């Protein structure tokens, strides 16, 4: 019996080491894909209420006074419970940035005009280069074309966090050439405290895209030919 157990244990150890060796070769030969996959998994875990449970970064239950100051804050809203945002600035997107996506969509789709001007705010304010209107952001295009659909906004939040983890992982990989360190950074990036502070503020988009400036430089520095 002891001999049989030892043989089974040796077989399992051999199979485990073979699997680890195969996985290690795959990771080392495809570091960018591995970083992207790990960052995606971490983002899905971080944003699981939105991705899997039907929640939203733009939910009226976030605790922001909208049409009415007291809950329910919108007509037809049945739930009167509020989420505790822990002091995060969740009002900006609900009061300003989400309406902007509707205004921009109307300007482009209904009037055929480039959205240079917001006629509904302070007697008129510029839309380009002010207030993070994100008119030129490709990831924001679905929100504009859908006239501010919540699913499009949520998709931008999730994808931008994935890009943040993916980009930081690549920056580390280009810098130190250690895939393990790059994977740890990619896995932890979506959980940084900044996203708790800027829970749904569009300012987070600029932070999420910023690593890709260094990714470009890292790719150029490590390229064999230019």
């Amino acid at each position: 019996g002891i001999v049989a157990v030892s043989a089974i244990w040796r077989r399992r150890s051999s199979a485990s080491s073979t699997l680890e060796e195969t996985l290690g070769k795959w990771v080392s030969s495809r570091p960018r894909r591995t970083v992207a996959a790990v960052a995606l998994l971490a983002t899905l875990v971080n944003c699981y209420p939105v991705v899997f449970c039907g929640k939203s970064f733009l939910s009226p239950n976030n605790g922001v006074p909208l049409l009415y100051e007291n809950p329910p804050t919108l007509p037809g809203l049945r739930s009167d419970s509020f989420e505790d945002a822990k002091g995060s600035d969740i009002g900006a997107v609900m009061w300003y940035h989400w309406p902007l996506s509707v205004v921009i969509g109307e300007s482009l789709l209904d009037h055929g005009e480039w959205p240079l001007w917001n006629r509904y705010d302070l007697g008129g304010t510029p839309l380009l280069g002010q207030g993070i209107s994100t008119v030129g952001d490709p990831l924001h295009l679905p929100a504009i074309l859908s006239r501010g659909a919540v699913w499009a906004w949520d998709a931008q939040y999730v994808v931008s966090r994935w890009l943040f983890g993916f980009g930081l992982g690549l920056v580390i990989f280009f810098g130190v050439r250690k895939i393990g360190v790059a994977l740890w950074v990619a896995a932890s990036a979506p959980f940084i405290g900044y996203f708790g502070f800027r829970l749904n503020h569009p300012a987070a988009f600029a932070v999420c895209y910023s690593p890709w400036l260094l990714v470009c430089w890292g790719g150029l520095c490590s390229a064999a030919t230019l």
Side-chain angles (χ1 to χ4, degrees), residues 5 34 67 71 121 143 186 203:
V5 171
T34 307
L67 186 59
D121 184 25

Side-chain angles (χ1 to χ4, degrees), residues 82-152:
F82 273 171
E83 183 73 18
D84 184 5
K86 307 297 183 183
S88 175
D89 183 7
I90 56 177
V93 68
M94 304 298 287
W95 297 329
Y96 184 73
H97 299 283
W98 176 82
L100 276 190
S101 63
V102 178
V103 171
I104 294 170
E106 290 179 352
S107 177
L108 290 171
L109 302 176
D110 295 342
H111 306 292
E113 299 176 352
W114 189 251
L116 298 172
W117 200 253
N118 178 12
R119 68 194 69 185
Y120 303 105
D121 184 25
L122 298 174
T125 56
L127 271 176
L128 298 184
Q130 176 172 324
I132 321 178
S133 62
T134 62
V135 174
D137 184 353
L139 292 183
H140 195 59
L141 189 60
I144 293 174
L145 297 181
S146 63
R147 304 171 191 267
V150 172
W151 64 264

Side-chain angles (χ1 to χ4, degrees), residues 35-36 39 161-174 185-186 189 208-212 214-215:
V35 172
R161 292 195 187 188
W162 170 67
L163 288 174
F164 181 67
F166 185 19
L168 277 183
L170 289 181
V171 170
I172 297 301
F173 178 72
F174 286 141
V185 172
C208 290
Y209 304 154
S210 60
W212 288 89
L214 296 178
V215 170

Side-chain angles (χ1 to χ4, degrees), residues 45-66:
V45 173
N46 177 262
C47 300
Y48 80 90
V50 175
V51 178
F52 301 110
C53 302
K55 306 300 182 180
S56 174
F57 286 103
L58 269 66
S59 171
N61 296 104
N62 280 345
V64 179
L66 297 173

Side-chain angles (χ1 to χ4, degrees), residues 10-31:
R10 281 197 300 271
R11 279 194 220 127
R12 289 186 176 179
S13 299
S14 176
S16 176
S17 61
T18 302
L19 178 61
E20 290 178 2
E21 183 179 352
T22 303
L23 182 60
K25 289 181 179 179
W26 193 93
V27 169
S28 61
S29 62
R30 300 172 179 84

